[in-house]
Structures are given as C-alpha cells and as structure tokens.
Amino acid sequence: MNTDIPKQREFSSFRDPDGFIYTIDNNIYRQICSSYSETYNKFLESGLYSTLIEKNLLIRHEEVDANLAYSSENAWKVIKVEKIPFVSYPYEWSFEQLKDAALLTLEIMKIALSYDMTLKDASAFNVMFIGSRPIFIDTLSFKTYEKNKPWDGYNQFCRHFLAPLVLMKYRDLRLLDLFKTNIDGIPLDLAVKLMPLKAKSKIGLFAHLVLHSGFQNKYSSSSSKKETLLSKESLILLIQNLYDTVKSLELKYKENSTEWGNYYNNTNYTNVAFEQKKQIITNFIEKCQPKVVFDIGGNRGEFSRIAQSIERYTICFDIDPIAVNENYKIARENKEENILPFVLDLNNPTSALGWQNKERKAWSDRGNPDLITALALIHHLAISNNLSFESIAELFSSITNKYLVIEFVPKHDSKVQILLSSRKDIFPNYTKEDFEISFSKKFRILKTEFVKDSERCLYLMEKRD
Amino acid sequence: MLKLINYCIFCTFILAFNSKLGIGIEGDIVKKIILVLFCILVLLDKPAYAYLDPATGSMIIQSLVASIAGFLIFFKSLKNTIISFFWGDKKESDAQIDENQK
C-alpha cells in the first residue's frame, strides 16, 4: 500500500462491512474486504456485472493496483469507480425521478435473481442520476441468493421508495420533505397515518404498506422467535407485484396547478424578447465556455438547454417540484445525460444531514460550477426574502468558480409589482445602480445587455479574486 | 380448523369466480374480501420458529403479499381461460367487431 498518496474516506460509507468508498485526487475508489471476495467473484463470473453494465443499470468500475488501497488492513481488492458528475439525494428529486429510481432498483433485483444473486438492501441512496439517467452505484450491494430466504431489502424499499411515492401522489408532493427528517426512509406507520383512504383501498398499496406496517408493529414487540420461508418463485412474484404497483403510480396534476408549472406561457416577455434573451445568454455562455453550470431557478430548463454541449453538465435547480418533474420528463424523453433537474429552495437549501451531520452533504459541498445563471430570480431573493444585494452577491461568489450570468428585474416590472402588491415597499435601494454597485464588490461586470421590449437587463460577471 | 380453511378457500373461489363473470358483488369489493380471507388463511397457518429481529414482520408479510400476487395472477388467467372457453377468444371477437364496423 502506498501511504504517500493523500486519500479521503467518504464519510457516508460506513454501513457495509464488506468495503468502503474513498477518494484520491477527486477520483472514486472502493476498497473491497476479503469477507466479500467469494461474492465479488461470483458477481463477476456469473455474468451479472456485465449484464447490468450492458443494460446501463450499474456504475462501471475497473480493478486497479492494490497499492492504492486506503489501508492494508483487510484490503482484498481495490476498484476505481466511474464518477457521478453531481451528487443528488432522493429528497431533492421530483416524483418521476424517485419512481424511476425505484423501478431501477426492482429491475436490478429481478435480473440479480435470475443469476441466483440478490440485493442486500434497497436504499434510495444507492441510486444516482447522470443527467436524466438513473444508475445504481453500490457495487457491493449484491449477495448470493439463499434458498427460501425472503428479501432483506423489502422493508427498506417500502420506506425509501413506495411510502414517499404514495404520499406524494395521493396527499401532497411536498411530503417528500419527510425524507429529510427520516434519513432512512419514511416510517411505514407514519406513511399509513398520512395515506388517504383512496390509497389504502388499492390492493397493492394496502398489502405493501398498510398490512406490512401492521405486521411490523405486531412482531416488533413480540418476544416469540419466528422464521419465514419464501420460495424463489414467490419472491419473484413479490418483486413483480412491487414493480407493477410502483409503475401504476401516475402523478396527475393540472398544467398550471403550481406557481411555476406553466411559467413560460406566463412570462413578461414578448416572443421577440424571449428569443433575444436566449441569444444573449447563448453569447454569454459561449464566451465563458463553462464545464459545469448551475442554473438557479431554472424552472423547466428552457435556458439550461441553450448552447448545450457534450462537454457541459448543467444542474437545473428549482423550488417547484412540478417544474422539476416536467424538466425531468423532457430530459428523459430526449435522453439528455447532461442536465440534472433538482428540487432546491435557495432560501433554505439542503443542509448536511445524517450521522454527525456529515453523512449526506449540503448542496454547496458537492462541487462548484464554472458558471451560475440566475435569471428572473433576483426579485424573489431581494423582495420576497428581504435579502440585500450584497448578501446575494456574496452567496453567488462563494459558489461559482468564475462566472455569473444574472438578470436584473426593475421595480416597475409587473412581476415585482405583484410581489409588492400586498406589502409595504421597504426597498428604496432596489435599483439598477445599487445592484451594480453591490455586485461590483464581488464581481467584475464584463457585459451588460438590455432585453428588448422590457426593462430587464442581463449581466455577465466574473468573480473577483 | 381444517373446515374453516376449506370454507375460506371455497368462499374466495366462489366470490372471485362470480365477480369475474360479472355476477354478484363488484370487482373491487371482492378483491378486498379475498384479501381478508387470505389474511385469515395465512394467519391460521403454523409458523416455523427460528430467529427474531425487528424486521420479522417484514419477512412474514412477504409470503402473504406473494400469495396475494400469485392468487390474483391465478384468477386472472382462470378468468381468461373460462371466458375464452365459453365465449371464444376476447381479442378475436373484438377484432371481428372492429371489422364489422368497418
């Protein structure tokens, strides 16, 4: 083992006794312990690994020199794992993203069973997104199928996937936030309490959630010793039924049921101005050639999609789960692997969560972009949340590596007037001049362009060193 | 005990059969009755004893859910077999209707 290379162990990788993740130079490695050697060999030799790779379901890895091991203790093998461009967690996904992640997990389980292997667990954190493509990232999640043994991951699957999906569909999309306070999935008894009768009366949901929760409660306080047997055929039936149950959950909403879902049909731009705005942003992006872009308040990703390139990866953040859901559906349909739709409230962004508050990272600790685009956003921060321009500039400069494209929306713009209509105007400093002075403290203004037929203004700025 | 189990099986069969033929109670209610009867069936079954952990309930429920899933599939195929035996292949007759309409 080479001790000279600086290695950083991934904090969240502590549960699995068979191995763990660490990084060297921003590359991801996994140390596999000898306890997993037999299973790992079977996983590869049976052809399961290559099938999953062929179907684009599992993250790729290559075996590397054992010298790169994190510690020589218990190091059987070291693998280098393909890197995910930007980490996102289940509580930051839209409904369709969580549903696709659930279906991916079950699909993998079905394939694994056909190779006489099974999944140890069914954590939603085992799935990540490369753009719109979900991918399973836990190479060590597989184990040999034991005859007549039920699935260990069943309960976790229901907590991590089925319960949140059902609550989102039948109650409210915002209930996904319960995942943040219940880091190991929504407890089934809580999910059952919140489920409406309509959901409980579906036979699949009644069985997987209501009955399941009842059985869990009954046996958790029982001191009797029980073991159940489940034949492989029955297990396959169970997985297929779970798959069909998840697949049948369709989210229905009216086009304009949230503030932003129908945003682009309801903007302050004429068609000419909208096209011109696109052109200005294209020019700005071409000038800075960013590799990673944060499109903050990106809605359905209209502006994330301009001047796209294979070299560029855009994370499109929005507070509205319906807009993010729509964005994901567009990305999925176009098979886009360089746009990641992401639910984020900038006024209360995802903090670090879990064990020691380090297990799941804060959104700002998962990599920085070369460019931030903040279009038609400033008035929501400055007026709705009473933030000063200095404070907003400080946030953006702390995140971006280099550039910022920002739109200034003047006070007499009707969108700002709506925000001011029910409150006292306590924003005498909300002016273009003050905006420029405040942002100039953190950024150099490279270009300023007015949008036609509106008094909005677009800026390209570069961070001061 | 055996009589009760037999009675449950008999009731479920009759209910399911009737509903698939469109006689008697509506499909959704029948599904629920079948479920309850099945719960009784499984709960009456003698458990095997070994080792307990907090997920025991999750382990036990799996065989129940798998039974329900299997049961539904069984009746779906039974329904299709019976329907096609007495009234011919549904798809074929649909196709014929379509053709007649043209």
Side-chain angles (χ1 to χ4, degrees):
Chain A
M1 190 197 67
N2 195 332
T3 47
D4 302 337
I5 311 167
K7 297 159 191 160
Q8 179 80 41
R9 188 164 167 167
E10 172 61 42
F11 193 85
S12 64
S13 186
F14 60 82
R15 287 199 172 81
D16 193 350
D18 292 328
F20 57 88
I21 291 273
Y22 57 98
T23 54
I24 302 175
D25 240 3
N26 257 332
N27 291 313
I28 315 283
Y29 293 86
R30 196 188 274 277
Q31 179 166 324
I32 303 175
C33 305
S34 40
S35 57
Y36 197 69
S37 57
E38 208 176 300
T39 317
Y40 178 84
N41 286 336
K42 182 176 176 181
F43 177 54
L44 262 77
E45 284 159 15
S46 65
L48 176 56
Y49 172 74
S50 50
T51 305
L52 295 175
I53 291 296
E54 220 169 87
K55 290 179 183 281
N56 258 336
L57 302 175
L58 179 72
I59 198 93
R60 280 172 193 278
H61 74 249
E62 53 175 316
E63 289 176 18
V64 292
D65 193 347
N67 255 340
L68 292 170
Y70 182 81
S71 64
S72 52
E73 193 189 328
N74 213 0
W76 176 70
K77 223 171 209 132
V78 178
I79 56 174
K80 188 180 176 192
V81 188
E82 186 189 340
K83 202 178 174 193
I84 299 289
F86 193 81
V87 169
S88 62
Y89 298 127
Y91 41 76
E92 295 156 338
W93 297 340
S94 63
F95 180 86
E96 287 293 326
Q97 283 171 298
L98 186 61
K99 183 177 162 181
D100 282 352
L103 294 175
L104 174 92
T105 306
L106 293 171
E107 180 75 35
I108 289 175
M109 179 67 182
K110 281 199 271 182
I111 297 171
L113 280 173
S114 68
Y115 284 85
D116 222 27
M117 294 197 87
T118 178
L119 286 175
K120 280 182 198 173
D121 56 359
S123 169
F125 295 97
N126 281 346
V127 183
M128 289 279 162
F129 280 85
I130 299 179
S132 64
R133 179 162 66 92
I135 191 147
F136 198 80
I137 55 158
D138 191 2
T139 318
L140 304 193
S141 237
F142 298 85
K143 68 171 188 176
T144 305
Y145 171 72
E146 286 171 57
K147 204 178 168 203
N148 292 334
K149 184 117 196 296
W151 184 27
D152 292 334
Y154 178 63
N155 187 264
Q156 196 177 35
F157 182 89
C158 293
R159 276 182 285 127
H160 281 222
F161 293 107
L162 195 57
L165 284 170
V166 166
L167 293 182
M168 283 165 94
K169 178 185 159 57
Y170 288 99
R171 214 31 118 182
D172 197 297
L173 281 174
R174 290 166 293 186
L175 283 174
L176 183 61
D177 282 349
L178 281 174
F179 214 142
K180 289 184 192 171
T181 45
N182 299 279
I183 202 75
D184 198 17
I186 301 174
L188 295 187
D189 60 323
L190 177 60
V192 170
K193 271 187 196 166
L194 295 172
M195 269 167 80
L197 197 63
K198 194 179 168 194
K200 286 179 187 166
S201 65
K202 305 275 175 207
I203 192 159
L205 302 181
F206 179 80
H208 293 300
L209 295 175
V210 182
L211 217 55
H212 186 171
S213 164
F215 268 64
Q216 210 186 347
N217 291 344
K218 185 181 168 191
Y219 288 99
S220 63
S221 56
S222 154
S223 58
S224 66
K225 293 180 172 182
K226 276 190 171 197
E227 187 202 37
T228 45
L229 301 176
L230 186 72
S231 69
K232 196 172 180 184
E233 291 71 26
S234 298
L235 180 57
I236 293 168
L237 267 178
L238 175 85
I239 302 299
Q240 187 57 45
N241 186 272
L242 261 181
Y243 190 94
D244 295 340
T245 306
V246 172
K247 186 100 183 160
S248 69
L249 295 171
E250 297 282 346
L251 189 62
K252 286 179 189 142
Y253 46 81
K254 288 179 196 144
E255 258 290 286
N256 50 1
S257 56
T258 60
E259 193 180 355
W260 308 106
N262 200 21
Y263 180 66
Y264 295 115
N265 299 335
N266 192 23
T267 57
N268 265 10
Y269 293 109
T270 60
N271 282 345
V272 178
F274 196 66
E275 287 308 315
Q276 192 224 354
K277 183 176 171 182
K278 275 186 173 177
Q279 192 51 53
I280 295 171
I281 291 161
T282 309
N283 295 343
F284 283 176
I285 290 178
E286 272 166 8
K287 189 172 161 52
C288 41
Q289 290 296 332
K291 290 262 185 289
V292 180
V293 179
F294 278 9
D295 185 1
I296 301 179
N299 201 269
R300 285 187 285 176
E302 183 89 20
F303 290 99
S304 302
R305 287 187 173 80
I306 55 176
Q308 267 212 68
S309 116
I310 310 165
E311 299 285 301
R312 189 166 303 136
Y313 195 81
T314 303
I315 300 102
C316 183
F317 302 96
D318 204 279
I319 187 174
D320 179 25
I322 289 192
V324 177
N325 204 45
E326 288 298 312
N327 190 8
Y328 175 69
K329 276 155 71 177
I330 297 166
R332 185 177 59 185
E333 198 175 315
N334 299 337
K335 295 192 166 60
E336 290 164 338
E337 293 199 4
N338 52 0
I339 289 190
L340 174 71
F342 192 116
V343 181
L344 181 88
D345 176 3
L346 200 60
N347 291 332
N348 181 24
T350 329
S351 53
L353 296 171
W355 177 241
Q356 286 191 34
N357 288 126
K358 287 180 185 171
E359 196 181 339
R360 309 291 169 210
K361 293 188 177 91
W363 80 295
S364 49
D365 293 335
R366 300 179 218 164
N368 300 89
D370 308 312
L371 166 72
I372 291 178
T373 54
L375 307 172
L377 180 75
I378 190 87
H379 50 306
H380 293 289
L381 301 175
I383 292 180
S384 304
N385 205 27
N386 291 26
L387 285 160
S388 65
F389 286 140
E390 277 88 2
S391 178
I392 300 167
E394 196 183 320
L395 171 81
F396 289 149
S397 80
S398 71
I399 297 169
T400 186
N401 286 332
K402 201 159 186 191
Y403 294 107
L404 169 70
V405 169
I406 189 163
E407 181 178 21
F408 181 73
V409 185
K411 203 185 256 183
H412 49 78
D413 190 284
S414 68
K415 293 286 177 192
V416 181
Q417 284 305 313
I418 292 170
L419 297 180
L420 284 171
S421 61
S422 58
R423 60 182 301 184
K424 198 178 162 197
D425 184 355
I426 49 161
F427 309 99
N429 296 333
Y430 189 91
T431 61
K432 189 166 173 287
E433 292 67 39
D434 271 316
F435 169 79
E436 285 176 7
I437 292 166
S438 303
F439 271 76
S440 295
K441 289 175 190 165
K442 294 283 179 186
F443 293 91
R444 276 186 297 120
I445 298 174
L446 301 180
K447 272 189 166 190
T448 310
E449 298 258 14
F450 278 96
V451 183
K452 266 183 204 164
D453 306 334
S454 87
E455 295 190 38
R456 296 183 174 200
C457 192
L458 289 161
Y459 295 85
L460 172 63
M461 304 186 184
E462 188 181 359
K463 188 173 157 178
R464 288 184 192 278
D465 296 324
Chain B
M1 180 70 80
L2 201 64
K3 268 188 181 174
L4 186 62
I5 292 173
N6 281 339
Y7 181 71
C8 284
I9 293 173
F10 180 72
C11 288
T12 4
F13 185 80
I14 295 294
L15 276 170
F17 188 67
N18 282 352
S19 83
K20 298 300 171 192
L21 292 178
I23 311 165
I25 320 166
E26 270 179 47
D28 255 14
I29 302 168
V30 171
K31 270 188 198 167
K32 276 162 222 166
I33 297 173
I34 291 172
L35 189 70
V36 171
L37 289 172
F38 235 79
C39 295
I40 296 170
L41 275 178
V42 173
L43 290 172
L44 287 174
D45 204 8
K46 276 189 182 174
Y49 293 97
Y51 178 75
L52 177 97
D53 64 52
T56 301
S58 289
M59 295 298 173
I60 297 167
I61 186 76
Q62 290 183 46
S63 58
L64 174 59
V65 177
S67 314
I68 297 168
F71 196 70
L72 290 175
I73 289 170
F74 170 69
F75 272 99
K76 213 173 180 179
S77 65
L78 187 70
K79 180 193 96 175
N80 290 341
T81 318
I82 293 169
I83 288 176
S84 58
F85 180 77
F86 285 109
W87 293 278
D89 195 352
K90 204 183 170 189
K91 278 178 190 164
E92 205 175 277
S93 59
D94 283 350
Q96 273 174 0
I97 292 166
D98 285 346
E99 230 161 76
N100 291 341
Q101 279 173 347
K102 282 176 193 169

